Amino acid sequence: MYSEETQRKLIEKTREFLNLDIKSIDRKKAESIIEDLREVIRFHDWRYYVLAQPVISDYEYDKLFKLLKDIESKYPDLITPDSPTQRVPSEITKVFPQVKHLTPMLSLDNSYNEADLRDFDRRVRELTGLEKIEYAVEPKFDGAGISLIYEKDLFKRGATRGDGEVGEDITNNLKVIKSIPLSAKFSSYGIDKVEIRGEVLIRKDIFKRINEQRLEEGLPLFANPRNAAAGSIRLQDPKEVAKRGLEAFVYQITYAEKDGKNLLGTVLKKHSDNIKMLHLLGFKTPYEVLKVCNGIDEVIDYCREWERKRDNYPYEIDGMVIKVNDISLYEKLGFTSHHPRWAIAYKFKARQATTKIIDVVFQVGRTGAITPVAKLQPVEIGGVIVSSVSLFNEDFIREKDIRIGDTVLVERAGDVIPYVVMVIKEARTGNEKPIEFPKNCPSCGSPLVKPLGEAVYRCININCPAQVIERIIHFASKDAMDIKGLSEATVKKFYKLGLLKSIPDIYRLDFRIIKNIQGFGEKSVNNLKQAIEESKNRPLYRLIYGLGIRYVGEVTAKTLASAVNCLEDLKNFTITDLMKLPDIGDKVATEIYNFFHNEQNLKMIQQLKELGLNVCNPKEEKKGKLAGLNFVFTGALKCCSREKAKEIVESLGGNVLDTVSKKVHYLVVGEEPGSKLQKAQKIGTIKIINEEEFLKMIEKKQESF
DNA sequence: TAGCCTCGAGTTCA
DNA sequence: CTCGAGGCTA
């Protein structure tokens, strides 16, 4: 057992060790830290295996373990018999009876890149004397490992991994998992007794539901689906286990006998065939996603493919497993003390990491919304360095009890945007400072207001500098007036220099001054000049959208544009008039009405008109061949960007929507489609077409672009 | 009035 | 992409 104080110190040391590079460690340094490092690893073993509440990510644990292994291989005389490297960690909660596995449950050696995989392949080829190896490659499920024994076709016993030699008997809990057959006709394959390895998993969407429920009940959250699965299979009450929606995948036969004789490698020759057999016997297996690869190049390709699409897979996977497919070679290849030489794991870049919150700053958005943003000690997640993360609003901070100085678990999933999963409370020193929400706007100092029932504070001063800047950025952005060369950074720079204080100022920029600004040459100035000139001719709806009226996005802007001939006509609309338009209720109508009855705004509109911007719709309305049809895109298109495709569809009279619903007529499926495809299939009435078919539909008109 | 559907807004890094 | 909230419909 560890006291709170000890735990805190150990976590602190963890961070130190994580920043160490093996190259910087000499003999003296090694001697001085090695025992501490072992103690740190033992502590994390305890958090992970005993409490099922790890305080660091797997990736970080692997890093620590690797550091210890590296030091020990550099200075082998420092190895002690009780070093964590000398055994797979044990300590098991005593609730379940302990049982011995038929064959040890070893972990796999890890690889992190192409070079590691090629090394592995080279070793396998050397040891077997073969020129090219056939590999079976499958996703590495991130769940809780289990071992199942079937005797005379009956499910006899199921166990956790434990220390690899001895696990816990959780047969009763596993029996409630429906994807584990209680009986399977192994006898029809001439097998009396078999030991199977697998993984208990929770689907990502179910994991989310469980955590939502735990939040409501005030229970500690699970950091990820694996923790949830590991915690769930060891619940005392199988009835509770049944409620958790667990599933079990099996991926390896480690023992099979007939009349006391071993069948592996003799009768059961190929791993891929074993998986097929398990699949046919009614087990959940990676059968559909297992690929037999001839040679390491195919393996690497397949790993890459999965690294790209792993987020679309309903189960959490943290890498790929590569196994030599020919089981008769296993004997020749053998084992090291930790792992088989005939298999290796290829680990994807981690998407979770822990780091410290250094500070919290408050940003002012275009609508005046105040967003707290945590500045982090930079940390690598999924291949990029993350140094800041949004904390959204006060409720989020309160719910998670986030404080400055806290160590937090940060995740960067498929959506790319980092997110604070939880605070590692064990790491607290007592010096953490609560996050105080400002009473005044950090940009202009005016008092903030929080409308009843809303989650965010707002600065309501429309001339607040931060808001003005954001509005100009929005106006120039791609979806609005699309002024290339007037990026976020440029707007900020010009504002600071006093060149750009309002939207109309864009069209009054003095280019003689800009030429003298560092970073602007002849060419960039000319490009900017031209882009600004071109933006004067944008269609009316883009201008309306660019004005940044609250609740008026692209769609509502189009509604408004098509209701009038010219921008000024909107001045004459009463709230009631506006509410007659589709999808505009009283809230939206009021905002629009207020905007067009604000003197400052009217002056701006007048100025924009005088500066030569298009403020009217074209006279005649052209109808295209796609008139009235709604499109949605999913996946990447080969022909062009989505923007371009959207433009083409709209030019032909069609619409492009963001989400799949009954209104949609066509779903265009590109490469690696997302969840929209399933949704569309479920609705049924949507015509699902691929890119080729789509191109055919728009073909005749396409040359003009 | 509840629940569905859609739109708007916010969001990180390079 | 996701969440929250506005608008619409049963």
Side-chain angles (χ1 to χ4, degrees):
Chain A
M1 265 307 209
Y2 297 84
S3 73
E4 270 179 34
E5 175 66 12
T6 320
Q7 293 200 37
R8 195 182 53 66
K9 281 194 182 137
L10 286 165
I11 292 170
E12 212 169 87
K13 278 202 180 131
T14 305
R15 306 231 65 79
E16 278 169 38
F17 288 138
L18 282 172
N19 289 325
L20 276 185
D21 186 352
I22 178 71
K23 283 181 215 123
S24 69
I25 297 173
D26 56 12
R27 169 96 206 168
K28 222 173 121 203
K29 177 91 177 164
E31 275 174 21
S32 72
I33 64 166
I34 197 159
E35 243 340 283
D36 280 354
L37 178 55
R38 285 181 186 132
E39 200 44 44
V40 162
I41 291 174
R42 285 187 198 108
F43 162 68
H44 290 300
D45 285 340
W46 174 75
R47 295 277 333 184
Y48 185 110
Y49 289 101
V50 180
L51 301 188
Q53 286 170 354
V55 289
I56 54 172
S57 65
D58 290 6
Y59 187 78
E60 288 165 312
Y61 178 87
D62 289 349
K63 241 171 117 177
L64 289 177
F65 202 87
K66 191 165 183 302
L67 180 66
L68 178 60
K69 256 180 31 189
D70 287 348
I71 295 175
E72 288 182 347
S73 68
K74 208 163 159 190
Y75 308 107
D77 57 304
L78 293 181
I79 298 176
T80 55
D82 66 340
S83 172
T85 57
Q86 301 304 299
R87 54 156 195 168
V88 191
S90 85
E91 277 217 71
I92 293 160
T93 38
K94 306 263 177 323
V95 197
F96 299 98
Q98 303 201 356
V99 287
K100 197 166 184 300
H101 298 304
L102 296 183
T103 54
M105 219 166 154
L106 298 173
S107 48
L108 293 179
D109 199 8
N110 288 328
S111 64
Y112 298 93
N113 51 47
E114 191 183 320
D116 292 349
L117 286 175
R118 292 194 185 279
D119 274 352
F120 166 73
D121 179 55
R122 190 178 38 74
R123 287 195 302 271
V124 172
R125 282 186 286 117
E126 275 168 14
L127 287 165
T128 56
L130 295 171
E131 246 169 60
K132 209 167 197 184
I133 305 286
E134 186 177 276
Y135 293 106
V137 187
E138 64 208 35
K140 184 174 186 299
F141 296 106
D142 198 11
I146 51 164
S147 181
L148 310 172
I149 294 175
Y150 284 76
E151 255 179 76
K152 300 207 168 58
D153 295 346
L154 286 179
F155 175 44
K156 264 277 141 54
R157 194 191 81 191
T160 62
R161 177 166 182 278
D163 66 1
E165 295 284 335
V166 174
E168 299 160 296
D169 187 330
I170 51 164
T171 313
N172 288 333
N173 278 351
L174 293 181
K175 276 184 177 166
V176 303
I177 299 178
K178 300 219 167 60
S179 44
I180 298 178
L182 297 179
S183 68
K185 275 249 170 269
F186 283 104
S187 56
S188 64
Y189 290 88
I191 299 171
D192 287 346
K193 182 175 181 181
V194 62
E195 185 187 45
I196 309 167
R197 294 287 148 75
E199 201 88 1
V200 169
L201 303 169
I202 293 183
R203 256 197 3 234
K204 288 189 256 188
D205 52 340
I206 294 178
F207 161 75
K208 249 171 111 182
R209 277 221 309 268
I210 291 177
N211 254 358
E212 274 160 21
Q213 203 185 335
R214 288 178 76 86
L215 187 68
E216 267 172 38
E217 291 165 11
L219 296 166
L221 298 186
F222 291 118
N224 51 48
R226 201 215 34 258
N227 290 152
S232 300
I233 55 169
R234 295 154 90 217
L235 288 170
Q236 308 264 359
D237 182 1
K239 271 186 239 133
E240 280 300 308
V241 179
K243 286 185 202 157
R244 293 282 175 91
L246 298 170
E247 297 173 49
F249 272 82
V250 296
Y251 50 72
Q252 182 89 19
I253 294 180
T254 49
Y255 181 85
E257 68 163 49
K258 165 82 174 170
D259 302 329
K261 272 214 305 266
N262 174 33
L263 305 173
L264 277 181
T266 53
V267 180
L268 303 176
K269 285 200 186 94
K270 287 201 169 184
H271 171 69
S272 54
D273 291 338
N274 285 354
I275 295 299
K276 185 173 179 188
M277 174 178 80
L278 291 169
H279 171 73
L280 293 173
L281 284 170
F283 288 88
K284 221 179 170 82
T285 67
Y287 178 66
E288 284 95 356
V289 285
L290 181 143
K291 183 173 179 185
V292 176
C293 294
N294 197 12
I296 198 69
D297 288 329
E298 275 181 39
V299 170
I300 291 165
D301 283 349
Y302 197 53
C303 288
R304 291 244 165 87
E305 184 184 329
W306 272 88
E307 184 147 25
R308 265 184 285 121
K309 65 184 184 188
R310 70 156 150 169
D311 288 307
N312 294 329
Y313 198 58
Y315 303 92
E316 195 74 39
I317 50 178
D318 61 342
M320 301 296 282
V321 179
I322 298 103
K323 294 170 186 160
V324 173
N325 203 22
D326 184 343
I327 298 170
S328 66
L329 295 174
Y330 285 14
E331 217 173 306
K332 221 182 230 167
L333 289 161
F335 296 84
T336 72
S337 57
H338 302 111
H339 45 255
R341 288 204 187 87
W342 40 265
I344 194 166
Y346 169 76
K347 292 271 215 156
F348 296 149
K349 293 211 169 66
R351 296 151 321 148
Q352 288 192 328
T354 57
T355 188
K356 247 188 177 159
I357 294 182
I358 301 166
D359 196 12
V360 172
V361 300
F362 293 87
Q363 275 177 3
V364 188
R366 164 169 69 90
T367 60
I370 307 291
T371 315
V373 176
K375 294 290 157 192
L376 306 171
Q377 209 171 69
V379 63
E380 186 185 325
I381 312 178
V384 299
I385 310 283
V386 174
S387 58
S388 76
V389 54
S390 171
L391 302 179
F392 306 114
N393 54 52
E394 201 178 20
D395 293 347
F396 184 85
I397 292 172
R398 193 155 353 111
E399 218 164 65
K400 308 230 162 182
D401 188 20
I402 301 168
R403 305 178 195 175
I404 296 169
D406 261 338
T407 302
V408 287
L409 183 67
V410 180
E411 182 175 87
R412 189 173 159 269
D415 52 1
V416 183
I417 289 157
Y419 175 82
V420 173
V421 179
M422 59 193 264
V423 172
I424 312 290
K425 301 234 166 97
E426 288 82 355
R428 283 201 173 147
T429 61
N431 295 330
E432 292 74 20
K433 277 187 292 181
I435 296 166
E436 298 242 5
F437 251 78
K439 299 264 179 299
N440 297 84
C441 172
S443 174
C444 69
S446 54
L448 299 179
V449 295
K450 183 171 172 174
L452 221 67
E454 278 188 41
V456 299
Y457 284 90
R458 279 177 200 283
C459 166
I460 49 167
N461 169 18
I462 38 168
N463 294 315
C464 168
Q467 285 181 59
V468 172
I469 291 174
E470 293 300 323
R471 279 203 295 269
I472 299 173
I473 291 169
H474 172 75
F475 185 85
S477 72
K478 202 155 181 291
D479 292 336
M481 299 298 269
D482 190 19
I483 307 177
K484 291 192 188 68
L486 200 57
S487 67
E488 197 172 325
T490 312
V491 171
K492 282 184 184 165
K493 199 184 273 172
F494 287 1
Y495 185 91
K496 251 195 208 139
L497 293 167
L499 299 170
L500 199 52
K501 291 195 286 290
S502 69
I503 289 172
D505 279 352
I506 295 173
Y507 300 95
R508 302 188 193 111
L509 281 173
D510 188 339
F511 290 98
R512 284 166 308 179
I513 300 178
I514 293 171
K515 257 185 217 150
N516 297 325
I517 301 174
Q518 215 193 356
F520 283 88
E522 183 101 8
K523 198 155 188 189
S524 53
V525 169
N526 280 336
N527 285 344
L528 178 60
K529 214 172 182 173
Q530 202 193 335
I532 290 175
E533 216 42 52
E534 274 171 20
S535 75
K536 290 182 179 171
N537 299 318
R538 299 271 180 261
L540 180 58
Y541 80 88
R542 277 179 174 258
L543 176 61
I544 295 178
Y545 174 61
L547 293 174
I549 308 166
R550 189 124 115 66
Y551 300 123
V552 178
E554 238 184 306
V555 176
T556 311
K558 275 181 193 165
T559 308
L560 291 175
S562 62
V564 294
N565 285 325
C566 292
L567 184 58
E568 300 108 308
D569 300 348
L570 285 168
K571 283 190 286 194
N572 306 324
F573 276 65
T574 64
I575 293 183
T576 336
D577 293 337
L578 289 164
M579 281 172 65
K580 283 184 190 135
L581 300 171
D583 293 314
I584 294 178
D586 63 339
K587 273 215 157 161
V588 180
T590 310
E591 283 293 334
I592 298 168
Y593 180 86
N594 288 345
F595 185 92
F596 285 99
H597 288 81
N598 171 298
E599 202 162 327
Q600 210 178 328
N601 291 333
L602 293 176
K603 225 163 89 192
M604 172 171 76
I605 290 168
Q606 182 60 31
Q607 286 173 10
L608 289 175
K609 192 180 168 186
E610 283 164 12
L611 287 161
L613 273 79
N614 166 45
V615 291
C616 293
N617 280 317
K619 286 268 149 55
E620 88 252 57
E621 213 177 292
K622 46 179 176 179
K623 271 234 165 112
K625 58 196 260 192
L626 302 181
L629 294 176
N630 295 325
F631 287 77
V632 170
F633 295 99
T634 181
L637 298 175
K638 275 191 230 103
C639 72
C640 45
S641 66
R642 269 196 205 183
E643 275 300 310
K644 191 84 200 167
K646 184 173 178 178
E647 228 173 78
I648 295 170
V649 170
E650 284 175 355
S651 72
L652 297 174
N655 291 308
V656 175
L657 308 178
D658 270 335
T659 42
V660 172
S661 70
K662 281 185 291 193
K663 270 170 59 178
V664 174
H665 301 99
Y666 289 94
L667 179 75
V668 183
V669 180
E671 263 177 69
E672 283 165 35
S675 58
K676 286 179 203 162
L677 179 56
Q678 285 135 40
K679 206 165 160 192
Q681 282 161 344
K682 217 166 123 195
I683 291 174
T685 55
I686 299 170
K687 292 195 193 82
I688 295 166
I689 59 173
N690 60 29
E691 187 174 343
E692 249 171 70
E693 292 167 295
F694 169 67
L695 289 175
K696 229 174 255 168
M697 285 180 79
I698 60 172
E699 193 172 32
K700 276 177 205 138
K701 274 272 182 170
Q702 212 200 348
E703 311 89 305
S704 54
F705 291 91

